[in-house]
Amino acid sequence: MSEELPAYAERVLEAAERIPPGRVMTYGDVAEWLGEGGPRQVGRVMALYGGAVPWWRVVRADGKPLPGSERRALEHYRTEGTPLRETPSGEPRLAMRRARWDGRDGRDGGDEAHT
């Protein structure tokens, strides 16, 4: 395997780095924001290469922390002040309506091109 990241992977990781602290995007949001790929492709990139970026900010649409990384993700969410809620059974979940970032209200200046 090449040491160089595939171009799509670079774009996914750059998108993850743009998500402000305390906010999240779903795998599908990232694909839509990039205008290419889909949730599975984004998930694959994050699984293979996401360790060097704020991986906890790219999430499942149901707000459930990434299986196997729940504790670490929750630590990041609490540190960053990411909105959380509890399920009826007491499990923490992301409060997606409040935590979700649309890619426009952060550092990129609004309606500018994303890529």
Side-chain angles (χ1 to χ4, degrees):
M1 189 164 141
S2 167
E3 288 184 29
E4 187 174 318
L5 283 176
Y8 181 71
E10 285 186 23
R11 289 189 293 278
V12 168
L13 298 177
E14 287 171 6
E17 289 178 324
R18 288 177 175 255
I19 302 168
R23 304 300 296 276
V24 298
M25 289 179 98
T26 68
Y27 298 112
D29 291 341
V30 171
E32 184 178 330
W33 194 74
L34 291 173
E36 62 182 313
R40 290 177 191 251
Q41 289 85 359
V42 171
R44 179 85 173 139
V45 168
M46 294 304 294
L48 292 174
Y49 309 110
V53 299
W55 54 266
W56 58 92
R57 296 181 192 153
V58 182
V59 302
R60 296 166 36 150
D62 65 3
K64 186 175 182 179
L66 185 65
S69 298
E70 297 95 342
R71 234 183 237 144
R72 288 181 24 225
L74 287 168
E75 287 174 16
H76 287 293
Y77 299 143
R78 289 181 176 122
T79 299
E80 293 183 355
T82 308
L84 297 170
R85 64 178 181 84
E86 276 192 17
T87 65
S89 63
E91 294 177 80
R93 295 279 191 279
L94 289 160
M96 292 301 289
R97 285 188 180 157
R98 292 182 294 137
R100 204 168 193 173
W101 186 57
D102 65 7
R104 293 183 299 183
D105 61 348
R107 299 174 236 167
D108 69 353
D111 293 314
E112 295 176 19
H114 304 302
T115 56

